[in-house]
Amino acid sequence: MGERRVVYLDHAATTAVHPQVIEAMLPYYGERYGNASSVHSLGREARQAVDNARATVAEILNCSPREIIFTSCGTESDNLAIRGVCWMRRRQGDHAITSSVEHHAVSHTCEQMERQFGFEVTYLPVDEYGRVDPADVERAIADTTILISIIYANNEVGTVEPIAEIGEIARRRGIPFHTDAVQAAGALSLDVQELNVDLLTLSGHKFYGPKGVGVLYVREGTELLCSQTGGGHEWGLRSGTENVAGIVGLATALKLAEERREKESRRLTALRDRLVEGVLSSIDHCWLLGHPSQRLPNNANIAFEYVEGEGILLALDMEGIAASSGSACSTGSSDASHVALAMGVKPEVARGAIRMTLGHENTEEDVDRVLEVFPGIVQRLRAMSPLYEA
Ligand code: PLP
């Protein structure tokens, strides 16, 4: 008997590298190993590959290749955007605006700028669905505001923020606007002109590309202090020998994701709705977290009362189902998610949240398998809870 395939429902944490992406990358680990800065033929071949990848990414973002910076990951891109703008514009002011539902790559960077370096940061509230109100952004702007950073699509609850509207306000007030689009790639438009953004973060491993490579889009004219000095790579904004294979992989994966975006989003939305409706109709005392319609097609985040998310996770794992409790980046800590708390979810309910994020390889059978085992798991765990009365 063959081993049962794992039903992987953790695509917000990471994805498998697409076979076509591996194929595109392999030569740059082998015979095309040149350093993109070398003048000889091997170097020129590597440079050409990086240039082509930059052009591919730029076309999808509807910007100039000159505005694309390759980095080592989404976290680095977020750090570079925030620190880079804050330090460069220090003389104009010391106030940044962000939301209370950011990924830690943004929120912890803002907190450090505040605590260690004396900047002032406003953390905007969100509504019960995790949405920032653009009017709150407008109200928070002061004469000293030098940066606004708001996540595009939330990594925990999947809520999509009104980025174009916020961008319009930022543009009118002359303030650089960054968005973390790590979870949006492959699901939402990345057109930086439509989004009205000046800086945008991407990470290869969230859209079937390799880990350890990211992008920061920087609109021409946006002043940014580089965080890594050295050989002057990436227009002097991010020194370090280019990860040629990774960059080729990221661009190939982004192109594939963009080509499939609409069709795959429709398919995943149907699967997600089947999953959510199935769980909500078969289990009592549980709720969908995040916005009912303004959410990522693949994200189902459900909070269960009278049970810990960790317990459900372990039980699902024993059934060969891989999910996550809130955000993968905070596993290991049993603290309630800051995103759920910001949405006004009670801590004891937030601790019972499970994030299931669908992807390419998931089918209706996968969803039905989850629906088959889920009610029993929750029932067994609740039977152990002194607070639960069926
Ligand atoms: N931003 C968001 C919204 C994310 O979901 C993640 C990863 O989980 C990151 C940033 C960090 O990206 P990376 O893993 O490439 O550092």
Side-chain angles (χ1 to χ4, degrees):
M1 243 177 70
E3 276 203 11
R4 199 170 56 192
R5 178 175 79 89
V6 169
V7 175
Y8 184 74
L9 299 179
D10 204 10
H11 292 82
T14 199
T15 55
V17 182
H18 192 286
Q20 271 172 260
V21 173
I22 297 178
E23 202 185 317
M25 292 172 71
L26 274 179
Y28 298 95
Y29 287 119
E31 70 271 25
R32 299 187 190 165
Y33 55 83
N35 182 323
S37 299
S38 298
V39 291
H40 49 66
S41 60
L42 270 176
R44 290 200 307 274
E45 194 171 50
R47 168 60 53 205
Q48 189 62 55
V50 171
D51 287 350
N52 292 346
R54 203 185 300 281
T56 301
V57 173
E59 199 183 326
I60 293 166
L61 270 58
N62 190 18
C63 67
S64 153
R66 186 74 178 75
E67 298 172 308
I68 297 297
I69 295 175
F70 290 114
T71 66
S72 70
C73 59
T75 300
E76 188 195 330
S77 298
D78 283 343
N79 273 255
L80 176 58
I82 292 163
R83 274 190 241 281
V85 171
C86 283
W87 284 125
M88 204 63 170
R89 305 196 77 222
R90 184 74 162 114
R91 282 202 201 91
Q92 281 115 295
D94 59 0
H95 177 234
I97 298 172
T98 187
S99 82
S100 45
V101 294
E102 298 297 312
H103 186 271
H104 287 151
V106 167
S107 62
H108 286 173
T109 308
C110 286
E111 282 160 27
Q112 192 195 54
M113 295 309 281
E114 207 178 6
R115 292 190 192 141
Q116 306 287 328
F117 302 111
F119 285 82
E120 192 199 329
V121 182
T122 300
Y123 300 89
L124 295 173
V126 291
D127 66 13
E128 61 185 304
Y129 304 118
R131 293 260 287 185
V132 171
D133 183 348
D136 284 342
V137 177
E138 180 107 55
R139 273 191 289 273
I141 295 174
D143 291 343
T144 50
T145 307
I146 49 171
L147 173 70
I148 300 171
S149 178
I150 307 284
I151 194 165
Y152 189 176
N154 191 271
N155 51 299
E156 294 189 31
V157 297
T159 297
V160 178
E161 300 294 342
I163 293 303
E165 272 175 81
I166 297 170
E168 203 268 317
I169 296 168
R171 173 95 21 103
R172 188 160 28 84
R173 305 291 291 263
I175 301 162
F177 178 37
H178 167 249
T179 192
D180 176 334
V182 166
Q183 295 288 341
L188 306 172
S189 164
L190 298 177
D191 184 325
V192 295
Q193 314 308 338
E194 281 174 10
L195 289 170
N196 299 322
V197 294
D198 301 304
L199 303 119
L200 179 143
T201 293
L202 294 175
S203 169
H205 73 107
K206 307 289 184 175
F207 46 86
Y208 308 91
K211 293 174 182 61
V213 58
V215 164
L216 181 64
Y217 157 75
V218 183
R219 187 179 291 277
E220 188 80 54
T222 308
E223 290 179 301
L224 195 72
L225 186 74
C226 66
S227 52
Q228 264 173 225
T229 45
H233 307 78
E234 301 299 303
W235 326 112
L237 289 173
R238 199 274 176 185
S239 287
T241 299
E242 293 91 341
N243 170 7
V244 180
I247 289 169
V248 167
L250 181 145
T252 309
L254 192 62
K255 189 157 187 278
L256 287 172
E258 191 58 22
E259 281 164 8
R260 281 197 295 231
R261 185 159 67 83
E262 282 187 20
K263 200 164 162 220
E264 181 66 354
S265 290
R266 273 198 301 278
R267 191 186 78 87
L268 291 177
T269 301
L271 279 186
R272 179 203 68 198
D273 291 348
R274 184 185 182 98
L275 176 61
V276 172
E277 282 154 26
V279 170
L280 296 186
S281 63
S282 60
I283 304 172
D284 57 5
H285 300 290
C286 65
W287 300 269
L288 178 70
L289 297 186
H291 200 282
S293 57
Q294 296 300 309
R295 70 184 298 130
L296 288 174
N298 74 334
N299 177 298
N301 189 321
I302 302 177
F304 299 85
E305 235 178 336
Y306 310 114
V307 63
E308 294 283 325
E310 294 289 319
I312 301 179
L313 260 195
L314 295 176
L316 283 173
D317 191 35
M318 284 168 73
E319 295 286 346
I321 299 165
S324 157
S325 61
S327 154
C329 308
S330 57
T331 40
S333 101
S334 57
D335 287 345
S337 132
H338 69 286
V339 174
L341 295 181
M343 288 160 46
V345 179
K346 285 188 281 180
E348 60 273 25
V349 177
R351 276 195 291 271
I354 288 289
R355 181 188 69 179
M356 291 172 281
T357 42
L358 297 146
H360 287 349
E361 66 278 17
N362 293 132
T363 60
E364 273 188 12
E365 288 72 49
D366 289 349
V367 170
D368 293 345
R369 165 101 191 101
V370 176
L371 294 177
E372 195 184 300
V373 299
F374 221 121
I377 288 174
V378 175
Q379 206 175 17
R380 273 199 307 281
L381 291 167
R382 280 181 176 166
M384 293 185 266
S385 164
L387 299 172
Y388 183 69
E389 285 169 38

